[in-house]
């Protein structure tokens, strides 16, 4: 016997709906049946108890304001493949986060990317295949500083291959310091302001939005450490995705410098998350950082590996991250898949001289000795010759490796 509850709709006193007892208190079917009623979402009032052995279960409840697709509909839907905004890691309508501590260089990098997209240029190995409109919301710098940075990045060839004519038309700045003191600046945490931003971007025909940075363009954000408070930001990013506008959000690092500041709830919205960490070769006059892709929903690429970027008089210079390279070389040796430095170099897509130099540094520091590497190479040769052996069964003397390889 199923216990059922007869309830009274908030609008039609006297008209009754039957709901399962588990729905008592909110009655989703009653609210759904009275969708036209302004009070439809208020609690349904209990009226009387009845029982029935014969009546069928109610139909599944559907939220009519949400879209549902069958697998067949989803598979049969024809969609246009997204085009790259910044190849290989940012596509049409995607959202990316760049985070770093103050003074590391996140604004320099975000502006470099905006210039590349607006002018159809290239930043290191990251290329904008064609020039596109970019709306850049800046909450910190004044217009003079913005102009100086754009000119520096162009003159030093930090952004290469730029069509300056296209850049002048395509890159649109809105700087907070360029407004009147009482102006109502954009706020990505406010639903009303989100609509303003979208309308402005669409009016300019922008394919990319840059927000630099979260702290200065989200005045109504109550507490960035509160997961619930981040919901409006997530809704804004979703709104931009649905409008097919790629969004690059710039944010500060936590005090420990190991991740973006605030609730990790925001991470779920981003297709790409890039961290910039202070480099050991940094100097006060230059932007210098080690770049790490903490999240990337796409095919891996050599240009996404951890490297050190430094901005100097000749633009961006990019060097191997020695700490990361050492980790990768050690992991390659320990895998017993490679019998020489040449094979490791090929697998890591670096020169053999780079692997040799790294091995010498590892030996000098005592982290991984030359003799230890020779032993592992010998074991790798034995396993290659006898693949039926388990790794623990391979006991090869150090001299079995090729000492001439060092």
């Amino acid at each position: 016997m199923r216990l059922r509850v007869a309830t009274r709709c908030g609008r039609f006193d006297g008209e009754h709906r039957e709901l399962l007892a588990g729905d008592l208190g909110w009655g989703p079917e009653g609210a759904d049946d009275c969708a036209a009623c302004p009070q439809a979402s208020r609690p349904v009032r209990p009226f009387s108890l009845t029982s029935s052995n014969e009546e069928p279960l109610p139909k599944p409840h559907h939220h009519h304001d949400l879209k549902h697709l069958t697998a067949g509909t989803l598979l049969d839907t024809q969609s246009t493949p997204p085009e790259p905004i910044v190849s290989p890691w940012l596509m049409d309508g995607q959202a990316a986060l760049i985070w770093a501590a103050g003074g590391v260089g996140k604004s320099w990098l975000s502006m470099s990317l905006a210039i590349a997209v607006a002018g159809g240029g290239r930043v290191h190995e990251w290329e904008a295949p064609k020039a596109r409109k970019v709306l850049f919301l800046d909450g910190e710098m004044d217009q003079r500083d913005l102009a100086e940075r754009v000119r520096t990045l162009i003159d030093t060839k930090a952004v290469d291959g730029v069509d300056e004519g296209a850049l002048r038309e395509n890159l649109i700045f809105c700087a907070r310091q360029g407004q009147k003191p009482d102006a109502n600046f954009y706020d990505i945490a406010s639903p009303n302001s989100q609509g303003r931003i979208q309308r402005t971007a669409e009016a300019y025909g922008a394919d990319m939005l840059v927000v630099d940075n979260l702290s200065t363009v989200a005045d109504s954000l109550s507490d960035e450490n509160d997961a619930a408070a981040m919901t409006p930001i997530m809704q804004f990013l979703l709104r931009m995705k649905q409008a097919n506008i790629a969004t690059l959000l710039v944010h500060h690092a936590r005090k420990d410098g190991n991740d973006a500041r605030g609730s990790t709830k925001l991470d779920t919205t981003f297709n790409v998350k890039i961290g910039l960490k202070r480099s050991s070769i940094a100097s006060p006059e230059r932007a210098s950082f080690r770049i790490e892709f903490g999240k990337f929903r796409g095919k891996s690429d050599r240009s996404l590996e951890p490297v050190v970027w430094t901005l100097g008089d000749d633009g961006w210079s990019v060097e191997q991250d020695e700490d990361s390279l050492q980790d990768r070389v050690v992991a390659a040796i320990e895998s017993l898949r490679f019998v020489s430095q040449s094979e490791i170099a090929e697998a890591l897509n670096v020169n053999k001289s780079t692997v040799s130099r790294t091995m010498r540094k590892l030996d000098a520091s005592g982290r991984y000795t030359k003799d230890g590497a020779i032993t592992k190479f010998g074991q790798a040769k034995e396993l290659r010759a006898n693949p039926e052996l388990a790794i623990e069964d391979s006991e090869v003397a150090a001299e079995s490796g090729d000492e001439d390889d060092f």
Side-chain angles (χ1 to χ4, degrees), residues 17-71:
R17 299 281 183 246
E18 285 194 339
L19 301 171
L20 286 176
D23 290 328
L24 179 61
W26 279 100
E29 277 201 8
D32 199 42
D33 290 337
C34 302
C37 175
Q39 298 177 330
S41 61
R42 82 179 194 180
V44 178
R45 299 189 298 277
F47 182 71
S48 64
L49 294 177
T50 65
S51 64
S52 172
N53 290 317
E54 301 176 357
E55 294 184 16
L57 290 171
K59 295 180 180 180
H61 171 59
H62 295 286
H63 295 277
H64 294 298
D65 58 334
L66 301 178
K67 296 180 180 179
H68 301 79
L69 296 175
T70 65

Short mmCIF file of all heavy atoms in Angstrom, two decimals, residues 17-71:
data_model
loop_
_atom_site.label_atom_id
_atom_site.label_comp_id
_atom_site.label_asym_id
_atom_site.label_seq_id
_atom_site.Cartn_x
_atom_site.Cartn_y
_atom_site.Cartn_z
N ARG A 17 -4.25 17.99 -5.94
CA ARG A 17 -3.28 17.19 -6.67
C ARG A 17 -2.79 16.07 -5.76
O ARG A 17 -2.66 16.28 -4.54
CB ARG A 17 -2.07 18.04 -7.11
CG ARG A 17 -2.46 19.19 -8.03
CD ARG A 17 -2.67 18.69 -9.44
NE ARG A 17 -2.97 19.80 -10.31
CZ ARG A 17 -4.15 19.96 -10.91
NH1 ARG A 17 -5.12 19.08 -10.72
NH2 ARG A 17 -4.35 20.98 -11.70
N GLU A 18 -2.53 14.93 -6.33
CA GLU A 18 -2.02 13.83 -5.52
C GLU A 18 -0.51 13.69 -5.71
O GLU A 18 -0.03 13.65 -6.84
CB GLU A 18 -2.70 12.51 -5.90
CG GLU A 18 -4.12 12.42 -5.39
CD GLU A 18 -4.63 11.00 -5.47
OE1 GLU A 18 -4.08 10.21 -6.25
OE2 GLU A 18 -5.58 10.70 -4.75
N LEU A 19 0.20 13.60 -4.61
CA LEU A 19 1.64 13.48 -4.63
C LEU A 19 2.07 12.36 -3.71
O LEU A 19 1.37 12.04 -2.74
CB LEU A 19 2.31 14.77 -4.14
CG LEU A 19 1.98 16.03 -4.96
CD1 LEU A 19 2.51 17.24 -4.23
CD2 LEU A 19 2.59 15.93 -6.32
N LEU A 20 3.23 11.77 -4.00
CA LEU A 20 3.77 10.79 -3.08
C LEU A 20 4.08 11.45 -1.76
O LEU A 20 4.44 12.64 -1.70
CB LEU A 20 5.05 10.17 -3.66
CG LEU A 20 4.84 9.17 -4.81
CD1 LEU A 20 6.19 8.74 -5.34
CD2 LEU A 20 4.02 7.99 -4.35
N ALA A 21 4.04 10.70 -0.70
CA ALA A 21 4.29 11.26 0.62
C ALA A 21 5.68 11.87 0.71
O ALA A 21 5.89 12.84 1.44
CB ALA A 21 4.14 10.18 1.68
N GLY A 22 6.63 11.33 -0.04
CA GLY A 22 7.98 11.87 -0.03
C GLY A 22 8.05 13.28 -0.56
O GLY A 22 9.02 13.99 -0.34
N ASP A 23 7.01 13.73 -1.30
CA ASP A 23 7.01 15.09 -1.84
C ASP A 23 6.33 16.07 -0.91
O ASP A 23 6.17 17.23 -1.24
CB ASP A 23 6.31 15.12 -3.20
CG ASP A 23 7.12 14.42 -4.27
OD1 ASP A 23 8.35 14.46 -4.18
OD2 ASP A 23 6.50 13.84 -5.16
N LEU A 24 5.84 15.60 0.21
CA LEU A 24 5.12 16.46 1.13
C LEU A 24 5.98 17.64 1.56
O LEU A 24 7.11 17.47 1.99
CB LEU A 24 4.70 15.67 2.38
CG LEU A 24 3.96 16.44 3.47
CD1 LEU A 24 2.66 16.99 2.90
CD2 LEU A 24 3.69 15.54 4.67
N GLY A 25 5.45 18.82 1.45
CA GLY A 25 6.18 20.02 1.86
C GLY A 25 6.49 20.93 0.71
O GLY A 25 6.38 22.13 0.81
N TRP A 26 6.87 20.36 -0.47
CA TRP A 26 7.16 21.22 -1.63
C TRP A 26 6.34 20.82 -2.83
O TRP A 26 6.06 21.65 -3.68
CB TRP A 26 8.65 21.17 -1.98
CG TRP A 26 9.43 22.07 -1.08
CD1 TRP A 26 10.16 21.73 0.00
CD2 TRP A 26 9.51 23.49 -1.18
NE1 TRP A 26 10.71 22.83 0.60
CE2 TRP A 26 10.32 23.94 -0.11
CE3 TRP A 26 8.98 24.43 -2.04
CZ2 TRP A 26 10.62 25.26 0.11
CZ3 TRP A 26 9.27 25.76 -1.83
CH2 TRP A 26 10.08 26.19 -0.77
N GLY A 27 5.98 19.55 -2.94
CA GLY A 27 5.10 19.13 -4.01
C GLY A 27 5.50 19.60 -5.38
O GLY A 27 4.87 20.47 -5.95
N PRO A 28 6.59 19.09 -5.98
CA PRO A 28 7.04 19.58 -7.29
C PRO A 28 6.01 19.44 -8.38
O PRO A 28 5.92 20.29 -9.26
CB PRO A 28 8.28 18.73 -7.59
CG PRO A 28 8.16 17.53 -6.71
CD PRO A 28 7.44 17.99 -5.49
N GLU A 29 5.14 18.39 -8.33
CA GLU A 29 4.14 18.28 -9.38
C GLU A 29 3.10 19.37 -9.25
O GLU A 29 2.64 19.95 -10.22
CB GLU A 29 3.48 16.90 -9.35
CG GLU A 29 4.27 15.85 -10.07
CD GLU A 29 3.40 14.68 -10.48
OE1 GLU A 29 2.19 14.74 -10.35
OE2 GLU A 29 3.98 13.71 -10.95
N GLY A 30 2.71 19.66 -8.00
CA GLY A 30 1.73 20.73 -7.83
C GLY A 30 2.26 22.04 -8.34
O GLY A 30 1.57 22.79 -9.01
N ALA A 31 3.58 22.34 -8.06
CA ALA A 31 4.18 23.58 -8.55
C ALA A 31 4.25 23.57 -10.07
O ALA A 31 4.02 24.58 -10.73
CB ALA A 31 5.56 23.74 -7.96
N ASP A 32 4.54 22.39 -10.66
CA ASP A 32 4.68 22.30 -12.10
C ASP A 32 3.33 22.48 -12.79
O ASP A 32 3.23 23.12 -13.83
CB ASP A 32 5.29 20.95 -12.48
CG ASP A 32 5.88 20.96 -13.86
OD1 ASP A 32 6.54 21.96 -14.20
OD2 ASP A 32 5.68 20.00 -14.59
N ASP A 33 2.26 21.88 -12.21
CA ASP A 33 0.94 22.01 -12.79
C ASP A 33 0.45 23.44 -12.78
O ASP A 33 -0.40 23.84 -13.55
CB ASP A 33 -0.07 21.14 -12.02
CG ASP A 33 0.18 19.65 -12.27
OD1 ASP A 33 0.78 19.35 -13.31
OD2 ASP A 33 -0.22 18.85 -11.42
N CYS A 34 0.97 24.23 -11.85
CA CYS A 34 0.52 25.61 -11.71
C CYS A 34 1.63 26.57 -12.09
O CYS A 34 1.89 27.54 -11.39
CB CYS A 34 0.06 25.87 -10.28
SG CYS A 34 -1.25 24.78 -9.75
N ALA A 35 2.30 26.27 -13.20
CA ALA A 35 3.47 27.07 -13.58
C ALA A 35 3.12 28.52 -13.85
O ALA A 35 3.95 29.41 -13.74
CB ALA A 35 4.12 26.46 -14.82
N ALA A 36 1.86 28.77 -14.21
CA ALA A 36 1.47 30.15 -14.51
C ALA A 36 1.24 30.96 -13.25
O ALA A 36 1.08 32.18 -13.31
CB ALA A 36 0.19 30.15 -15.35
N CYS A 37 1.16 30.28 -12.13
CA CYS A 37 0.85 30.96 -10.88
C CYS A 37 2.08 31.64 -10.32
O CYS A 37 3.13 31.03 -10.22
CB CYS A 37 0.31 29.95 -9.88
SG CYS A 37 0.04 30.67 -8.25
N PRO A 38 1.98 32.90 -9.90
CA PRO A 38 3.14 33.59 -9.32
C PRO A 38 3.63 32.91 -8.05
O PRO A 38 4.77 33.07 -7.66
CB PRO A 38 2.62 34.99 -9.04
CG PRO A 38 1.41 35.15 -9.89
CD PRO A 38 0.82 33.78 -10.02
N GLN A 39 2.74 32.17 -7.40
CA GLN A 39 3.09 31.53 -6.16
C GLN A 39 3.44 30.05 -6.34
O GLN A 39 3.48 29.29 -5.39
CB GLN A 39 1.93 31.65 -5.15
CG GLN A 39 1.59 33.10 -4.80
CD GLN A 39 0.40 33.18 -3.86
OE1 GLN A 39 -0.47 32.31 -3.90
NE2 GLN A 39 0.37 34.18 -3.02
N ALA A 40 3.67 29.65 -7.58
CA ALA A 40 3.84 28.22 -7.87
C ALA A 40 5.00 27.61 -7.11
O ALA A 40 5.01 26.42 -6.85
CB ALA A 40 4.04 28.01 -9.36
N SER A 41 6.02 28.41 -6.79
CA SER A 41 7.20 27.84 -6.15
C SER A 41 7.11 27.79 -4.63
O SER A 41 8.01 27.33 -3.97
CB SER A 41 8.45 28.65 -6.56
OG SER A 41 8.31 29.98 -6.13
N ARG A 42 5.98 28.30 -4.09
CA ARG A 42 5.88 28.27 -2.63
C ARG A 42 5.48 26.87 -2.17
O ARG A 42 4.98 26.07 -2.94
CB ARG A 42 4.87 29.30 -2.15
CG ARG A 42 3.42 28.84 -2.22
CD ARG A 42 2.50 29.93 -1.70
NE ARG A 42 1.17 29.40 -1.45
CZ ARG A 42 0.18 30.14 -0.99
NH1 ARG A 42 0.37 31.41 -0.73
NH2 ARG A 42 -1.01 29.62 -0.77
N PRO A 43 5.69 26.54 -0.87
CA PRO A 43 5.36 25.20 -0.41
C PRO A 43 3.90 24.86 -0.61
O PRO A 43 3.01 25.71 -0.47
CB PRO A 43 5.72 25.25 1.08
CG PRO A 43 6.70 26.36 1.20
CD PRO A 43 6.28 27.37 0.17
N VAL A 44 3.64 23.60 -0.95
CA VAL A 44 2.27 23.11 -1.08
C VAL A 44 1.76 22.75 0.30
O VAL A 44 2.46 22.11 1.09
CB VAL A 44 2.23 21.88 -2.00
CG1 VAL A 44 0.82 21.33 -2.10
CG2 VAL A 44 2.76 22.25 -3.36
N ARG A 45 0.55 23.16 0.63
CA ARG A 45 0.02 22.95 1.97
C ARG A 45 -0.63 21.58 2.09
O ARG A 45 -1.47 21.21 1.25
CB ARG A 45 -1.02 24.03 2.30
CG ARG A 45 -0.44 25.45 2.27
CD ARG A 45 -1.44 26.42 2.82
NE ARG A 45 -2.66 26.47 2.01
CZ ARG A 45 -2.79 27.20 0.90
NH1 ARG A 45 -1.78 27.90 0.47
NH2 ARG A 45 -3.92 27.22 0.23
N PRO A 46 -0.29 20.78 3.10
CA PRO A 46 -0.96 19.50 3.28
C PRO A 46 -2.46 19.69 3.50
O PRO A 46 -2.87 20.62 4.19
CB PRO A 46 -0.29 18.93 4.55
CG PRO A 46 1.00 19.67 4.65
CD PRO A 46 0.73 21.04 4.09
N PHE A 47 -3.27 18.81 2.91
CA PHE A 47 -4.72 18.96 3.04
C PHE A 47 -5.34 17.78 3.75
O PHE A 47 -6.01 17.93 4.76
CB PHE A 47 -5.34 19.14 1.65
CG PHE A 47 -6.84 19.36 1.69
CD1 PHE A 47 -7.35 20.56 2.16
CD2 PHE A 47 -7.70 18.37 1.25
CE1 PHE A 47 -8.71 20.76 2.18
CE2 PHE A 47 -9.07 18.58 1.29
CZ PHE A 47 -9.58 19.78 1.75
N SER A 48 -5.10 16.55 3.23
CA SER A 48 -5.63 15.38 3.92
C SER A 48 -4.86 14.16 3.49
O SER A 48 -4.18 14.16 2.46
CB SER A 48 -7.12 15.19 3.60
OG SER A 48 -7.28 14.91 2.21
N LEU A 49 -4.95 13.10 4.27
CA LEU A 49 -4.24 11.86 3.97
C LEU A 49 -5.20 10.85 3.37
O LEU A 49 -6.33 10.70 3.82
CB LEU A 49 -3.63 11.28 5.25
CG LEU A 49 -2.52 12.12 5.89
CD1 LEU A 49 -2.07 11.45 7.17
CD2 LEU A 49 -1.37 12.28 4.94
N THR A 50 -4.76 10.15 2.32
CA THR A 50 -5.54 9.08 1.72
C THR A 50 -4.60 7.92 1.45
O THR A 50 -3.38 8.06 1.51
CB THR A 50 -6.19 9.52 0.39
OG1 THR A 50 -5.15 9.77 -0.55
CG2 THR A 50 -7.05 10.75 0.57
N SER A 51 -5.14 6.75 1.14
CA SER A 51 -4.32 5.61 0.78
C SER A 51 -4.91 4.95 -0.44
O SER A 51 -6.11 5.05 -0.71
CB SER A 51 -4.25 4.61 1.93
OG SER A 51 -5.53 4.07 2.19
N SER A 52 -4.05 4.28 -1.21
CA SER A 52 -4.51 3.64 -2.43
C SER A 52 -3.62 2.46 -2.75
O SER A 52 -2.41 2.53 -2.59
CB SER A 52 -4.49 4.62 -3.60
OG SER A 52 -4.74 3.96 -4.80
N ASN A 53 -4.27 1.36 -3.19
CA ASN A 53 -3.51 0.20 -3.64
C ASN A 53 -3.45 0.12 -5.15
O ASN A 53 -2.77 -0.73 -5.69
CB ASN A 53 -4.14 -1.08 -3.10
CG ASN A 53 -3.95 -1.21 -1.60
OD1 ASN A 53 -2.87 -0.93 -1.10
ND2 ASN A 53 -5.00 -1.62 -0.90
N GLU A 54 -4.18 0.96 -5.84
CA GLU A 54 -4.38 0.78 -7.27
C GLU A 54 -3.78 1.88 -8.12
O GLU A 54 -3.42 1.65 -9.26
CB GLU A 54 -5.88 0.67 -7.57
CG GLU A 54 -6.56 -0.48 -6.84
CD GLU A 54 -8.05 -0.52 -7.07
OE1 GLU A 54 -8.54 0.40 -7.76
OE2 GLU A 54 -8.70 -1.45 -6.60
N GLU A 55 -3.70 3.07 -7.62
CA GLU A 55 -3.29 4.19 -8.47
C GLU A 55 -1.83 4.05 -8.87
O GLU A 55 -0.98 3.68 -8.05
CB GLU A 55 -3.49 5.51 -7.74
CG GLU A 55 -4.97 5.80 -7.48
CD GLU A 55 -5.13 7.16 -6.83
OE1 GLU A 55 -4.16 7.93 -6.89
OE2 GLU A 55 -6.19 7.42 -6.31
N PRO A 56 -1.51 4.34 -10.11
CA PRO A 56 -0.12 4.23 -10.57
C PRO A 56 0.74 5.33 -9.97
O PRO A 56 0.23 6.35 -9.51
CB PRO A 56 -0.24 4.41 -12.09
CG PRO A 56 -1.47 5.24 -12.26
CD PRO A 56 -2.42 4.80 -11.17
N LEU A 57 2.03 5.09 -10.00
CA LEU A 57 2.97 6.12 -9.55
C LEU A 57 2.86 7.34 -10.45
O LEU A 57 2.57 7.24 -11.64
CB LEU A 57 4.40 5.60 -9.60
CG LEU A 57 4.75 4.53 -8.55
CD1 LEU A 57 6.13 3.95 -8.88
CD2 LEU A 57 4.74 5.11 -7.16
N PRO A 58 3.10 8.54 -9.92
CA PRO A 58 3.05 9.74 -10.77
C PRO A 58 4.15 9.72 -11.81
O PRO A 58 5.18 9.05 -11.64
CB PRO A 58 3.27 10.88 -9.76
CG PRO A 58 3.95 10.26 -8.60
CD PRO A 58 3.43 8.86 -8.52
N LYS A 59 3.93 10.43 -12.90
CA LYS A 59 4.93 10.51 -13.96
C LYS A 59 6.17 11.22 -13.45
O LYS A 59 6.09 12.06 -12.55
CB LYS A 59 4.36 11.27 -15.17
CG LYS A 59 3.21 10.54 -15.84
CD LYS A 59 2.71 11.36 -17.01
CE LYS A 59 1.54 10.64 -17.71
NZ LYS A 59 1.02 11.41 -18.84
N PRO A 60 7.34 10.91 -14.02
CA PRO A 60 8.57 11.60 -13.58
C PRO A 60 8.43 13.10 -13.74
O PRO A 60 7.87 13.59 -14.71
CB PRO A 60 9.64 11.05 -14.53
CG PRO A 60 9.09 9.75 -15.01
CD PRO A 60 7.60 9.93 -15.07
N HIS A 61 8.94 13.80 -12.75
CA HIS A 61 8.86 15.25 -12.77
C HIS A 61 9.89 15.83 -13.75
O HIS A 61 11.02 15.35 -13.83
CB HIS A 61 9.14 15.79 -11.37
CG HIS A 61 9.29 17.28 -11.32
ND1 HIS A 61 8.31 18.13 -11.73
CD2 HIS A 61 10.34 18.04 -10.93
CE1 HIS A 61 8.73 19.38 -11.58
NE2 HIS A 61 9.96 19.34 -11.09
N HIS A 62 9.48 16.82 -14.53
CA HIS A 62 10.39 17.46 -15.48
C HIS A 62 10.48 18.95 -15.16
O HIS A 62 9.47 19.61 -14.95
CB HIS A 62 9.89 17.30 -16.93
CG HIS A 62 9.89 15.88 -17.39
ND1 HIS A 62 11.03 15.20 -17.71
CD2 HIS A 62 8.87 15.01 -17.57
CE1 HIS A 62 10.72 13.97 -18.09
NE2 HIS A 62 9.42 13.82 -17.99
N HIS A 63 11.71 19.46 -15.11
CA HIS A 63 11.91 20.90 -14.95
C HIS A 63 11.84 21.51 -16.35
O HIS A 63 12.76 21.39 -17.14
CB HIS A 63 13.27 21.18 -14.31
CG HIS A 63 13.38 20.67 -12.91
ND1 HIS A 63 12.92 21.35 -11.81
CD2 HIS A 63 13.89 19.51 -12.43
CE1 HIS A 63 13.15 20.66 -10.71
NE2 HIS A 63 13.73 19.53 -11.07
N HIS A 64 10.76 22.17 -16.66
CA HIS A 64 10.52 22.61 -18.03
C HIS A 64 11.42 23.78 -18.44
O HIS A 64 11.44 24.16 -19.60
CB HIS A 64 9.05 22.98 -18.21
CG HIS A 64 8.14 21.79 -18.10
ND1 HIS A 64 8.20 20.71 -18.97
CD2 HIS A 64 7.17 21.48 -17.19
CE1 HIS A 64 7.30 19.81 -18.63
NE2 HIS A 64 6.67 20.25 -17.55
N ASP A 65 12.16 24.38 -17.48
CA ASP A 65 13.07 25.45 -17.85
C ASP A 65 14.46 24.90 -18.20
O ASP A 65 15.35 25.66 -18.55
CB ASP A 65 13.19 26.47 -16.72
CG ASP A 65 13.67 25.84 -15.42
OD1 ASP A 65 13.45 24.62 -15.25
OD2 ASP A 65 14.27 26.56 -14.61
N LEU A 66 14.66 23.60 -18.10
CA LEU A 66 15.93 22.98 -18.43
C LEU A 66 15.80 22.13 -19.68
O LEU A 66 14.77 21.51 -19.91
CB LEU A 66 16.43 22.09 -17.28
CG LEU A 66 16.63 22.79 -15.93
CD1 LEU A 66 17.08 21.78 -14.88
CD2 LEU A 66 17.66 23.91 -16.06
N LYS A 67 16.85 22.10 -20.49
CA LYS A 67 16.85 21.32 -21.72
C LYS A 67 17.40 19.92 -21.44
O LYS A 67 18.37 19.76 -20.71
CB LYS A 67 17.70 22.00 -22.79
CG LYS A 67 17.17 23.35 -23.23
CD LYS A 67 18.07 23.95 -24.30
CE LYS A 67 17.55 25.30 -24.77
NZ LYS A 67 18.44 25.91 -25.80
N HIS A 68 16.76 18.94 -22.05
CA HIS A 68 17.21 17.56 -21.93
C HIS A 68 17.37 16.97 -23.32
O HIS A 68 16.58 17.24 -24.21
CB HIS A 68 16.21 16.72 -21.13
CG HIS A 68 15.96 17.23 -19.74
ND1 HIS A 68 15.13 18.30 -19.46
CD2 HIS A 68 16.46 16.82 -18.55
CE1 HIS A 68 15.11 18.53 -18.17
NE2 HIS A 68 15.91 17.65 -17.59
N LEU A 69 18.44 16.17 -23.50
CA LEU A 69 18.70 15.55 -24.80
C LEU A 69 18.90 14.06 -24.62
O LEU A 69 19.56 13.61 -23.68
CB LEU A 69 19.97 16.14 -25.43
CG LEU A 69 19.97 17.62 -25.81
CD1 LEU A 69 21.36 18.01 -26.30
CD2 LEU A 69 18.94 17.90 -26.88
N THR A 70 18.33 13.28 -25.52
CA THR A 70 18.64 11.86 -25.54
C THR A 70 20.02 11.69 -26.17
O THR A 70 20.53 12.58 -26.86
CB THR A 70 17.61 11.08 -26.37
OG1 THR A 70 17.70 11.51 -27.74
CG2 THR A 70 16.20 11.29 -25.84
N ALA A 71 20.60 10.52 -25.96
CA ALA A 71 21.90 10.23 -26.56
C ALA A 71 21.80 10.30 -28.08
O ALA A 71 22.73 10.78 -28.76
CB ALA A 71 22.41 8.86 -26.12
#
